[in-house]
């Protein structure tokens, strides 16, 4: 961790020193040649993270702004939309579409489970006249720590013409995502999760097919209008004042990701997940997600009712300056969520697992001290003999 706290939220996430320093530079003219170069460089860099050669715009906003941008640019009032939800963020995407006039059909799956690909296929197959114009789906459901198998779902539904729109705010650069190869139409992400920079930027990537739909779409928009965005991008500008300091941070983040390589980044996150899950299991706690759909970005854990998830979090914060997330909505005070995405270091996770054991013991939970930590140590020694120090 670079700050005073052990920040293990699924966003915002810790910021590396390199990025903090990069953001401290003096500002430049946002309509001048230096910004032009910066904008083109980060746009190209973020496209590489998406693995796309199509269109990408960067907005000054949180991730939710990016979701709204996806709705107002590619969905028209009256359009029928199939919104797949496995938790709080799936619900949010559906709500945004509803607010902007879409006729939303919700497809809900129980919190803690991934979406059933076959059920989605069946529903789209029934839509013989192509009435459904868009499918909204969350890649990594941050509220539960479950990910949807976007690649398979997309493959299964490939013959339906609806735009396939993905909320990848907490997954891009933490889980594998290949926008072009997987044939995704619109993919939204943001800065404060796996990108290692502060909140304040969202990314909207869209296919050429989506751009054609946009050109005939009738929703209200100004700030989010991708026609304006693309027109200005051609000049190396944005159609609003960009948060230049965040762009400096983004350039450094993209450099760091290129140095490490996408495959290694994805593997590293998988290792965080496996280490945390094996450790928590050894403590005798129950995990929310099944192994096959467990997120590599965040791990959700049930806390025994007698202890209370929020009381445990409070203890970790007050006594050890450790910040982990609680549950949202019906999961409030039921689960804790340990974020492990972006700039995470193995030994920080080890510290948090040790603290978790101490907290549990203090609150009367029966546990042999060290069982969970030992599992994590064994995992690290076995999997990561060489790079323990670096991260
Ligand atoms: C964090 C997050 C968002 C956006 O949240 P903001 O607070 O608006 O940045 C959207 N979807 C998912 C899956 C997220 O994890």
């Amino acid at each position: 961790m670079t700050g005073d706290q052990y920040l293990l939220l699924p966003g915002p996430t810790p910021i590396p020193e390199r990025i903090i320093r990069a953001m401290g530079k003096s500002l430049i003219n946002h309509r001048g040649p230096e910004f032009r170069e910066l904008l083109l460089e980060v746009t190209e860099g973020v496209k590489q993270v998406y693995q796309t050669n199509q269109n990408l715009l960067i907005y000054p906003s949180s991730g939710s702004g990016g979701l709204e941008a996806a709705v107002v640019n590619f969905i028209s009032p009256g359009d029928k939309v199939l919104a797949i939800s496995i938790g709080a963020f799936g619900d949010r995407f559906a709500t945004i579409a509803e607010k902007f006039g879409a006729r939303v059909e919700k497809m809900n799956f129980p919190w803690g489970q991934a979406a059933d690909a076959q059920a989605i296929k069946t529903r789209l197959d029934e839509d013989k006249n192509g009435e459904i114009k868009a499918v909204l789906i969350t890649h990594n459901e941050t509220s539960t720590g479950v990910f949807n198998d976007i690649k398979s779902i997309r493959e299964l539904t490939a013959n339906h013409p609806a735009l396939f729109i993905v909320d990848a705010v907490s997954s891009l650069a933490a889980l594998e995502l290949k926008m072009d190869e997987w044939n995704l139409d619109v993919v939204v992400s943001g800065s404060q999760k796996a990108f290692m920079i502060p909140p304040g930027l969202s990314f909207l990537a869209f296919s050429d097919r989506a751009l054609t739909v946009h050109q005939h779409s009738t929703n209200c928009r100004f700030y989010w209008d991708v026609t304006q965005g693309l027109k200005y991008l051609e000049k190396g500008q944005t159609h609003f004042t960009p948060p230049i300091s965040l762009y400096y941070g983004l350039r450094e983040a993209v450099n760091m990701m290129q140095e490490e390589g996408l495959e290694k980044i994805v593997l590293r996150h998988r290792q965080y997940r496996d280490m945390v899950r094996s450790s928590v299991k050894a403590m005798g706690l129950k995990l929310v997600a099944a192994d096959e759909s467990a997120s590599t970005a965040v791990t959700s854990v049930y806390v025994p009712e007698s202890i209370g998830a929020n009381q445990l979090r409070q203890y970790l914060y007050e006594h050890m300056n450790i910040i982990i997330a609680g549950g949202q909505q019906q999961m409030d005070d039921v689960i804790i969520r340990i974020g492990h995405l972006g700039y995470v270091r193995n030994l920080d996770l080890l510290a948090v697992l040790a603290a978790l054991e101490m907290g549990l013991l203090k609150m009367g939970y029966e546990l042999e001290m060290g069982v969970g930590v030992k599992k994590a140590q064994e995992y690290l020694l076995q999997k990561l003999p060489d790079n323990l120090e670096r991260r």
Side-chain angles (χ1 to χ4, degrees):
M1 300 288 133
T2 49
D4 295 335
Q5 292 178 331
Y6 287 83
L7 190 65
L8 288 114
L9 296 173
T13 59
I15 314 295
E17 283 291 336
R18 260 178 83 172
I19 290 178
I20 291 173
R21 275 198 301 274
M23 290 188 304
K25 286 195 349 181
S26 306
L27 297 188
I28 49 175
N29 173 16
H30 67 296
R31 309 258 176 242
E34 296 90 355
F35 184 76
R36 178 175 190 278
E37 199 181 306
L38 174 61
L39 179 63
L40 297 182
E41 186 183 333
V42 295
T43 302
E44 227 18 76
V46 177
K47 277 166 80 165
Q48 283 179 19
V49 180
Y50 272 90
Q51 305 192 43
T52 183
N53 289 317
Q54 302 183 76
N55 313 285
L56 178 98
L57 290 171
I58 302 169
Y59 292 94
S61 80
S62 85
S64 302
L67 297 180
E68 185 162 316
V71 167
V72 298
N73 279 294
F74 306 107
I75 295 172
S76 296
D79 277 359
K80 180 146 189 173
V81 166
L82 184 65
I84 293 147
S85 178
I86 62 167
F89 288 103
D91 289 351
R92 179 179 300 189
F93 212 174
T95 303
I96 297 170
E98 240 162 45
K99 295 275 183 199
F100 284 93
R103 288 183 295 135
V104 174
E105 178 179 325
K106 274 292 281 303
M107 205 169 181
N108 295 315
F109 295 93
W111 283 45
Q113 290 179 25
D116 177 352
Q118 205 57 50
I120 298 168
K121 175 185 165 46
T122 305
R123 179 62 192 94
L124 288 174
D125 283 349
E126 282 165 14
D127 184 41
K128 297 257 185 295
N129 301 327
E131 214 193 317
I132 296 171
K133 301 297 180 207
V135 174
L136 307 182
I137 187 162
T138 319
H139 188 195
N140 182 70
E141 181 47 79
T142 319
S143 64
T144 57
V146 170
F147 78 93
N148 283 319
D149 184 352
I150 293 294
K151 180 172 184 255
S152 304
I153 294 171
R154 185 60 182 133
E155 266 167 21
L156 272 178
T157 58
N159 54 11
H160 192 285
L163 289 180
F164 199 83
I165 305 182
V166 182
D167 172 352
V169 175
S170 64
S171 61
L172 190 66
L175 276 82
E176 185 176 59
L177 186 147
K178 299 181 174 178
M179 173 161 166
D180 289 357
E181 196 183 310
W182 294 1
N183 191 23
L184 311 178
D185 288 299
V186 181
V187 184
V188 178
S189 198
S191 56
Q192 83 272 28
K193 309 271 168 103
F195 268 77
M196 308 178 287
I197 41 182
L201 294 178
S202 67
F203 312 130
L204 182 72
F206 46 100
S207 65
D208 298 331
R209 194 168 85 97
L211 184 56
T212 308
V213 172
H214 163 77
Q215 282 152 357
H216 302 282
S217 73
T218 57
N219 231 321
C220 287
R221 57 202 170 224
F222 171 78
Y223 188 74
W224 306 115
D225 190 347
V226 302
T227 297
Q228 288 297 316
L230 291 174
K231 195 174 109 193
Y232 275 77
L233 180 60
E234 235 169 72
K235 299 190 282 185
Q237 293 182 20
T238 48
H239 65 291
F240 37 66
T241 311
I244 297 162
S245 309
L246 286 174
Y247 280 68
Y248 292 150
L250 179 57
R251 172 159 62 188
E252 196 63 25
V254 165
N255 286 342
M256 286 178 72
M257 289 187 206
Q258 283 169 354
E259 285 165 22
E260 189 178 1
L262 274 179
E263 268 175 40
K264 273 205 188 141
I265 293 172
V266 168
L267 176 67
R268 176 161 60 79
H269 283 84
R270 217 176 283 153
Q271 290 172 337
Y272 296 148
R273 171 192 67 188
D274 293 347
M275 175 176 101
V276 169
R277 284 173 68 86
S278 71
S279 173
V280 167
K281 266 188 213 168
M283 294 178 205
L285 298 176
K286 206 173 143 238
L287 292 158
V288 174
D291 286 341
E292 62 276 11
S293 56
S295 166
T296 57
V298 54
T299 294
S300 295
V301 183
Y302 287 106
V303 174
E305 230 173 282
S306 56
I307 293 174
N310 290 342
Q311 206 174 302
L312 180 61
R313 288 173 56 225
Q314 188 71 19
Y315 182 88
L316 294 178
Y317 169 58
E318 279 175 4
H319 296 271
M320 286 171 271
N321 222 2
I322 288 172
I323 314 284
I324 55 177
Q328 292 165 281
Q329 298 172 30
Q330 70 255 44
M331 291 296 212
D332 182 28
D333 210 22
V334 176
I335 59 169
I336 52 171
R337 292 178 299 145
I338 303 171
H340 37 76
L341 73 168
Y343 190 66
V344 184
R345 293 181 299 193
N346 285 305
L347 296 190
D348 289 329
L349 281 177
L350 207 56
V352 169
L353 293 165
L356 182 60
E357 285 192 347
M358 288 155 71
L360 286 165
L361 273 166
K362 257 290 192 245
M363 298 183 145
Y365 181 77
E366 248 181 73
L367 176 81
E368 186 194 327
M369 188 150 55
V371 281
V373 173
K374 181 160 181 273
K375 269 275 182 243
Q377 288 172 316
E378 283 168 358
Y379 183 88
L380 282 181
L381 271 182
Q382 175 210 339
K383 287 278 179 190
L384 313 160
D386 303 325
N387 69 356
L388 268 183
E389 293 301 319
R390 208 177 60 74
R391 282 198 174 265

